[in-house]
Amino acid sequence: MHTGETVRSRREEYAEATYEALLDSASACFFQNGFAATSLDHVAHQARVTKGAIYHHFTSKRELFVAVLERQQEHSVGSITQAGETASDAWSGIVAAIDVFLETISDPIYQRLCWVEGPTALGFEDWWACGERYEIEVIRRLLDRAAQAGVLVVEDLDMVAHVLFGAVTAGVLGMARSAEPAVERQRFRTVMLAVMAGLVRPDVAPQP
């Protein structure tokens, strides 16, 4: 019994290692070549596995891309949430979350996979839904904390979260397409902080 459990555990570890290797390889391939020009043969070669190993975990290139995209999003959400929730107060949490978000989206791999290749690979509606599933959750957590602290001047948090998600998406796409992303990033930060300052009591956000 013990031997069987050991063998099964090793198989599970191998399967998990293969899965992660495929995601790493696919991330690099999609980043370098784009979704359309990436072949599963190339992904398998880069991961040093057979093409059959890909189909053991994924039914299609699109499904593989979704897994890559979701891993990127989960990492981003975790970092942003931690920054927002560990800050000393609600406003500091908002600022910290915005800064970590801007740092995350400035990563060339994250930016291309999530914001450039995403709409192409998934189609606009599915790509937007994926963004809603991850980004809106983070936005809503920040808003909930601010509401619990009694600093918000609006009550419809669901609508605010959707409006902010739309604004963030437009800002990120502007950065991704800009010839001067660093300049665009600072403009984005300035505007987002001004928008957020308008949602809280005047005594909460520092005045410029």
Side-chain angles (χ1 to χ4, degrees):
M1 184 69 175
H2 177 72
T3 301
E5 289 178 352
T6 302
V7 170
R8 186 165 60 251
S9 176
R10 286 175 179 170
R11 286 176 178 173
E12 290 172 353
E13 289 177 359
Y14 177 75
E16 183 178 347
T18 300
Y19 180 84
E20 291 299 323
L22 287 171
L23 292 188
D24 290 341
S25 173
S27 294
C29 292
F30 290 138
F31 171 69
Q32 293 166 1
N33 306 315
F35 175 78
T38 294
S39 70
L40 292 182
D41 287 320
H42 190 198
V43 172
H45 177 74
Q46 291 288 93
R48 298 182 178 180
V49 299
T50 65
K51 190 174 180 180
I54 296 180
Y55 285 113
H56 176 74
H57 293 281
F58 307 100
T59 60
S60 64
K61 183 171 74 168
R62 186 182 190 276
E63 187 175 294
L64 174 61
F65 182 86
V66 169
V68 167
L69 188 64
E70 289 183 340
R71 187 173 70 165
Q72 291 281 338
Q73 293 281 33
E74 287 168 1
H75 174 73
S76 171
V77 165
S79 299
I80 296 168
T81 299
Q82 182 178 20
E85 293 182 349
T86 57
S88 57
D89 57 74
W91 177 252
S92 297
I94 290 171
V95 176
I98 289 174
D99 285 339
V100 171
F101 175 69
L102 288 172
E103 182 179 345
T104 299
I105 63 173
S106 295
D107 175 68
I109 296 177
Y110 177 85
Q111 192 175 101
R112 177 163 188 181
L113 293 180
C114 293
W115 301 95
V116 178
E117 296 301 320
T120 300
L122 304 184
F124 180 81
E125 288 188 8
D126 286 348
W127 170 74
W128 186 271
C130 181
E132 285 183 321
R133 191 162 63 252
Y134 288 97
E135 271 86 22
I136 286 185
E137 176 185 353
V138 178
I139 294 170
R140 185 56 196 263
R141 285 183 182 178
L142 293 171
L143 292 174
D144 284 341
R145 183 182 182 190
Q148 290 169 6
V151 301
L152 286 183
V153 295
V154 292
E155 296 181 359
D156 192 347
L157 301 189
D158 284 337
M159 180 54 69
V160 173
H162 279 83
V163 169
L164 290 176
F165 171 67
V168 165
T169 300
V172 176
L173 289 175
M175 282 182 58
R177 296 166 178 168
S178 175
E180 298 181 304
V183 174
E184 204 71 11
R185 170 177 170 169
Q186 186 55 46
R187 292 177 63 203
F188 186 18
R189 183 181 190 275
T190 299
V191 170
M192 282 306 302
L193 288 176
V195 169
M196 295 307 299
L199 297 176
V200 301
R201 296 197 320 259
D203 61 301
V204 173
Q207 297 302 306

